[in-house]
Amino acid sequence: MSVFSEAEKIQIFADLVKIKSVNDHEIEVAQYLQRLFADHGIKATLMPLSATRSNLVAEIGTNGPVLGISGHMDVVTPGDLEQWDTDPFVLTEKAGKLYGRGATDMKSGLAAMAIAMIEIKAAKTLTHGRIRLMATVAEEIGETGSQQFHTAGTMKDVDALLIGEPSGYNIAFAHKGSIDVRIKSTGKAAHSSMPEQGYNALDPLIELLNQANHDFRESDRHNALLGDLVFNATILQGGNQVNSIPAQAKTEMNIRSIPEYDNVAAIETLQKLVDEQNAKGAKLDMSVFMSQNPVQSPKDTKLSNLAAKIGESFAGQPIPKVAIPAVTDASNLLKGKPSDFPFIMFGPGNDTPHQVNESIDKQMYLDFINLYEELFVDYLK
Ligand SMILES: [Zn+2]
């Protein structure tokens, strides 16, 4: 049963794109969805993180297993408006494509999931199980929305998770983790002709980075699907005058972790190197300011197999199951879940996320609504 006409489905998507939820103001998206759900007899609850940012949770069904579905409400900055052919916040159709910021990543997926829930409820096809939408804030920076869902226990009784990030007609079931680390070094300034009177803050960092490059890159821990852990020092700063011993220095590093060399183990490796330098007289202070876990669900689960089967009927070709480089909210949402927990990322979109003239194929957006309606109900049957 179709509640919405094609024009109305595109209007809902356009309404979401119009809200400038650029790394903030997701509360307006959440309030819009709350009203939309309310108009169709579905209760949705806001879970505010601040005055302008709020997660939203909405559910249909009354008993049985819970299929979690999730998408983020924030978008990245449109960047240089001059480079856009159209207004990024006005969804614009051209030659079968819809253009706008979030067209692919991921207001299309969010709209498709919300519309699918409303139409499933109206059609009364959900005879068993529940569908719980968790719409998040701050996925692009910080992932505090998905962290809140984890902390609040919203995922606790969830039995399988689908994230509607833009995979197009691919199913992703694994991705690396990501860790951001900063180490500050405090030394003592002195004239460079009398270094014994000072302590060079750069020296222990240079030694540590050499050692870290060696330790991480020579590691024999490997993931057949995701490859090796990736370590990179990305910032090294220190000193302010060529003939002075630097009193302050810092380095920042990004690590892309794998299940076999996870975030805890990677941070331990660095902490050991910090301790070694400090034991030799350095004053290093390490802080981990972002840590997202790697995610790897089994390739073949009831959810992934059904998604592939139903997806194929829309795509007209087999749907590959893949690992992806980017981190998603699954890093937080799957915290504490067993390693065989069914997870897929499967949503409308293409390879234009974060770009100017971001777009989506109009038909793919519309098809994903029908695809979701079939998949969610069949999965819970
Ligand atoms: Zn995204």
Side-chain angles (χ1 to χ4, degrees):
M1 187 177 127
S2 209
V3 174
F4 301 105
S5 67
E6 185 179 305
E8 287 168 330
K9 288 172 182 171
I10 289 168
Q11 186 59 51
I12 291 167
F13 180 12
D15 290 344
L16 294 181
V17 168
K18 197 176 165 198
I19 301 167
K20 295 182 181 174
S21 52
V22 178
N23 302 316
D24 198 351
H25 306 289
E26 297 94 335
I27 198 162
E28 294 171 42
V29 178
Q31 287 166 340
Y32 175 89
L33 291 174
Q34 190 181 40
R35 279 194 303 274
L36 180 70
F37 280 127
D39 288 345
H40 297 90
I42 298 170
K43 186 173 179 285
T45 308
L46 299 196
M47 297 167 65
L49 281 90
S50 74
T52 55
R53 315 192 82 169
S54 178
N55 279 347
L56 169 137
V57 61
E59 186 172 303
I60 59 171
T62 50
N63 56 48
V66 181
L67 170 63
I69 62 175
S70 182
H72 61 84
M73 298 179 283
D74 54 322
V75 292
V76 297
T77 167
D80 183 2
L81 295 176
E82 292 294 307
Q83 289 193 44
W84 282 79
D85 296 333
T86 59
D87 184 335
F89 298 104
V90 177
L91 192 70
T92 307
E93 183 174 350
K94 278 195 295 180
K97 284 186 172 176
L98 298 165
Y99 291 83
R101 174 52 84 226
T104 266
D105 187 14
M106 59 160 287
K107 285 179 169 171
S108 51
L110 193 61
M113 289 189 285
I115 291 169
M117 282 176 75
I118 291 168
E119 296 203 324
I120 289 168
K121 182 173 165 73
K124 298 189 170 64
T125 46
L126 189 66
T127 51
H128 180 241
R130 291 171 280 166
I131 302 166
R132 182 177 302 157
L133 172 68
M134 290 163 280
T136 62
V137 306
E139 191 278 337
E140 298 290 359
I141 300 175
E143 301 196 339
T144 49
S146 50
Q147 178 58 37
Q148 189 203 35
F149 277 135
H150 169 71
T151 310
T154 317
M155 276 295 295
K156 221 166 193 163
D157 58 347
V158 170
D159 299 290
L161 178 69
L162 176 147
I163 291 186
E165 289 264 21
S167 62
Y169 287 123
N170 298 286
I171 291 168
F173 63 97
H175 61 68
K176 285 184 177 176
S178 184
I179 314 167
D180 289 337
V181 185
R182 180 184 300 124
I183 300 175
K184 284 185 179 164
S185 173
T186 306
K188 187 167 179 282
H191 193 279
S192 59
S193 64
M194 295 171 280
E196 67 284 355
Q197 295 182 359
Y199 187 92
N200 190 323
L202 275 168
D203 280 350
L205 291 184
I206 292 167
E207 267 187 42
L208 179 143
L209 290 178
N210 260 326
Q211 196 61 43
N213 276 337
H214 177 82
D215 287 2
F216 284 117
R217 292 173 186 173
E218 302 300 307
S219 161
D220 54 9
R221 291 184 249 186
H222 178 78
N223 183 285
L225 194 68
L226 297 167
D228 298 336
L229 171 146
V230 177
F231 170 84
N232 275 293
T234 44
I235 294 176
L236 179 60
Q237 291 170 339
N240 47 25
Q241 187 169 312
V242 71
N243 59 349
S244 292
I245 299 300
Q248 304 289 339
K250 75 162 180 176
T251 181
E252 293 186 7
M253 296 144 275
N254 178 258
I255 301 169
R256 298 286 165 156
S257 54
I258 55 175
E260 290 74 6
Y261 202 157
D262 66 11
N263 295 27
V264 171
I267 291 165
E268 260 174 27
T269 297
L270 276 179
Q271 187 63 55
K272 193 171 140 272
L273 297 177
V274 166
D275 293 346
E276 279 171 18
Q277 291 300 326
N278 284 343
K280 290 195 286 181
K283 281 187 189 142
L284 301 187
D285 185 29
M286 181 169 98
S287 56
V288 177
F289 59 99
M290 200 274 292
S291 177
Q292 301 295 339
N293 296 318
V295 165
Q296 187 170 9
S297 180
K299 186 175 187 181
D300 296 311
T301 60
K302 183 186 166 191
L303 179 63
S304 71
N305 290 339
L306 197 58
K309 183 169 153 264
I310 295 171
E312 185 171 342
S313 70
F314 285 90
Q317 59 191 38
I319 307 282
K321 294 176 186 162
V322 299
I324 52 159
V327 174
T328 72
D329 275 333
S331 292
N332 285 328
L333 296 176
L334 297 186
K335 275 183 188 165
K337 295 290 185 191
S339 61
D340 61 350
F341 187 90
F343 158 72
I344 57 169
M345 178 185 124
F346 192 35
N350 52 32
D351 55 3
T352 62
H354 301 201
Q355 298 179 19
V356 294
N357 299 322
E358 181 180 350
S359 71
I360 187 162
D361 185 76
K362 181 173 97 173
Q363 197 57 47
M364 183 187 274
Y365 163 64
L366 294 168
D367 284 347
F368 255 89
I369 297 171
N370 296 328
L371 189 163
Y372 280 157
E373 289 178 19
E374 216 177 304
L375 174 61
F376 298 167
V377 171
D378 281 7
Y379 176 73
L380 289 164
K381 252 180 198 157

